[in-house]
Amino acid sequence: MNAALPIPVEAASPHVMNTYGRLPLALSHGQGCRVWDVNGKAYLDALGGIAVNTLGHNHPKLVPALQEQISRLIHTSNYYHIPLQEALAAKLVELSGMSNVFFCSTGLEANEAALKLARKFGHDKGIERPEVVVYDKAFHGRSIATLSATGNAKVQAGFGPLVEGFIRVPLNDVQALKKATAGNPNVVAVFLEAIQGEGGVNPVNVDYLRALRKLCDEQDWLLMIDEVQCGMGRTGKWFAHQWAGILPDVMPLAKGLGSGVPIGAVVAGPKAAKIFAPGNHGSTFGGNPLAMRAGVETIRIMEEEGLLGNAVKVGDHLKAALQRELGGQPGLKEIRGRGLMLGVELTVPCSELVGRAAEKGLLISVTADSVIRMVPSLVMTTAEADEVVSILVPLVQQLIKEKA
Ligand SMILES: *Cc1c(COP(=O)(O)O)cnc(C)c1O
């Protein structure tokens, strides 16, 4: 592939709004878990576009399918039936054991739909001021409602007044949840990520998820599990909550669902599938033929290539190697996560590692100040995982030495 693009490419963006702290590099093209910048330097991609590029870059089966779709139809309108929506919805229903799907284009939009479902669920049973339980360190997006549900003061700062109707509790603490909701008739839903992503790769205990399912059944609340980051095979099951053997009532999806084509979805179980009627909700781009084809093909290729199994195999290998190399290291707090959603928490802030790793040809991110996050494509090989370790470990050791 030729690095020359038909438009000028530079690692500077003076006219793009300054919303991200960007590295001084611009990527040109990729193949699998490898990407090249505009100067021809290669990087191993352990970030996967933040858990988006499920099939890696330039997948030999995805690309021709998308090319075929683009030449057929990119977008129509939800004023018409879109057969590919039905195909992807049927597949998501099969994989989740749930019943109906609404399509949109991003994670926050999927979460907005979930929150609207929760509120209307409440209104439909006569609750005028519905409240939703949310969590410390949660991340649900950056719209006004989803940043209000997010448990991070930095995400909220400057954007008040926040949306009301949220009750915040700590993760994995059933008593705290019971106490926070005791005697409150306005609670309609519990909303959480099965593994918190932006909050620092914090898994929810399977026992806690089971307890939530029981409590939501007893209280007639919706259990809404945000699988935008941890879903779509990343942990080795289609959806991370499936490790607990439970079913949610509402499940927002996005990131990995289209391997990079913008897509979001809300999957609903029987308790939430009939809440919306025509006029209640919509999305112009949501469910367009290109995004739907990307979703259908992504899942088909994942099945064909056994990528859930690969996520477990390579994820376990990567986690074990990191544990072996960094295990006794002072400055290491914990290595956690499941499959190819891994976090390495240090006792010191470590955002410098992102730039240092890029210099050495490795793309990662740091979240929650001190957690190195790896959410690569599910096509990563064990050899590539070894390469991640060989680049990352010396950088971590060096940083800890500097900060000791
Ligand atoms: C990324 C993310 C979102 C927001 O998705 P966008 O597509 O950026 O709007 C919501 N929830 C979780 C768990 C996420 O990781």
Side-chain angles (χ1 to χ4, degrees):
M1 156 99 47
N2 190 334
L5 289 180
I7 50 169
V9 278
E10 301 169 31
S13 308
H15 302 103
V16 174
M17 210 179 271
N18 187 22
T19 53
Y20 283 86
R22 295 176 202 268
L23 294 179
L25 67 90
L27 298 172
S28 156
H29 58 283
Q31 187 65 53
C33 288
R34 201 75 57 176
V35 285
W36 285 266
D37 72 16
V38 294
N39 300 316
K41 178 176 170 177
Y43 302 82
L44 180 58
D45 184 3
L47 185 62
I50 320 181
V52 167
N53 298 313
T54 305
L55 302 178
H57 303 278
N58 194 27
H59 193 284
K61 294 177 191 163
L62 181 66
V63 170
L66 294 181
Q67 283 168 336
E68 195 275 340
Q69 185 60 48
I70 285 170
S71 64
R72 186 183 286 271
L73 279 176
I74 295 174
H75 177 85
T76 55
S77 163
N78 284 303
Y79 288 167
Y80 318 110
H81 285 278
I82 297 174
L84 282 164
Q85 271 186 23
E86 184 51 36
L88 183 55
K91 194 70 202 180
L92 290 172
V93 162
E94 174 199 323
L95 300 177
S96 66
M98 297 167 73
S99 47
N100 287 82
V101 187
F102 171 82
F103 290 108
C104 50
S105 305
T106 65
L108 79 79
E109 212 189 339
N111 285 335
E112 284 277 347
L115 292 169
K116 282 180 71 176
L117 281 171
R119 284 198 169 182
K120 191 156 185 302
F121 175 75
H123 282 274
D124 287 351
K125 52 180 186 172
I127 297 172
E128 290 295 319
R129 304 187 66 79
E131 295 179 48
V132 175
V133 174
V134 293
Y135 286 78
D136 291 341
K137 298 187 187 172
F139 182 83
H140 297 296
R142 291 174 179 277
S143 66
I144 297 289
T146 58
L147 75 81
S148 300
T150 288
N152 179 340
K154 278 193 210 158
V155 171
Q156 297 174 335
F159 300 107
L162 299 181
V163 171
E164 58 186 318
F166 294 110
I167 300 168
R168 195 169 302 282
V169 299
L171 202 59
N172 291 325
D173 184 341
V174 179
Q175 287 319 315
L177 170 63
K178 286 190 173 163
K179 199 166 157 227
T181 54
N184 183 342
N186 293 330
V187 177
V188 291
V190 176
F191 185 34
L192 79 171
E193 300 150 84
I195 302 177
Q196 291 182 333
E198 303 306 304
V201 190
N202 307 312
V204 180
N205 300 335
V206 292
D207 289 343
Y208 186 78
L209 279 175
R210 290 177 189 140
L212 281 185
R213 180 66 277 172
K214 188 161 167 281
L215 195 62
C216 286
D217 288 341
E218 286 164 7
Q219 302 285 341
D220 194 31
W221 301 338
L222 296 176
L223 177 55
M224 311 205 299
I225 304 187
D226 180 348
E227 295 254 3
V228 167
Q229 187 162 157
C230 58
M232 291 316 298
R234 179 155 297 283
T235 67
K237 293 217 186 261
W238 284 103
F239 309 108
H241 68 263
Q242 290 174 333
W243 290 103
I246 56 145
L247 280 175
D249 299 304
V250 176
M251 176 174 67
L253 298 173
K255 292 198 166 87
L257 177 55
S259 281
V261 176
I263 184 170
V266 183
V267 188
K271 228 163 120 182
K274 302 219 161 68
I275 294 172
F276 284 159
N280 286 148
H281 198 52
S283 171
T284 299
F285 290 120
N288 88 19
L290 176 61
M292 296 299 97
R293 185 72 183 267
V296 167
E297 298 290 347
T298 295
I299 293 173
R300 186 179 64 78
I301 296 165
M302 288 174 76
E303 287 180 324
E304 255 176 42
E305 302 195 347
L307 294 187
L308 273 62
N310 192 63
V312 172
K313 183 181 89 176
V314 178
D316 286 354
H317 181 89
L318 179 56
K319 195 177 184 184
L322 289 166
Q323 196 71 58
R324 188 177 63 237
E325 299 293 325
L326 291 171
Q329 175 79 45
L332 175 82
K333 199 159 170 191
E334 192 184 18
I335 299 172
R336 56 180 179 256
R338 195 159 213 163
L340 284 172
M341 181 168 184
L342 296 177
V344 176
E345 182 169 17
L346 305 185
T347 57
V348 290
C350 60
S351 54
E352 309 91 309
L353 283 176
V354 176
R356 292 183 188 181
E359 274 171 32
K360 300 278 184 206
L362 173 67
L363 302 183
I364 52 165
S365 76
V366 166
T367 188
D369 296 332
S370 58
V371 182
I372 303 160
R373 171 176 49 173
M374 282 157 283
V375 282
S377 302
L378 306 190
V379 299
M380 183 172 264
T381 63
T382 49
E384 286 166 335
D386 287 336
E387 201 182 325
V388 171
V389 175
S390 70
I391 299 173
L392 186 60
V393 165
L395 293 175
V396 171
Q397 288 166 337
Q398 173 68 26
L399 184 94
I400 289 172
K401 210 186 293 168
E402 284 169 21
K403 296 202 170 179

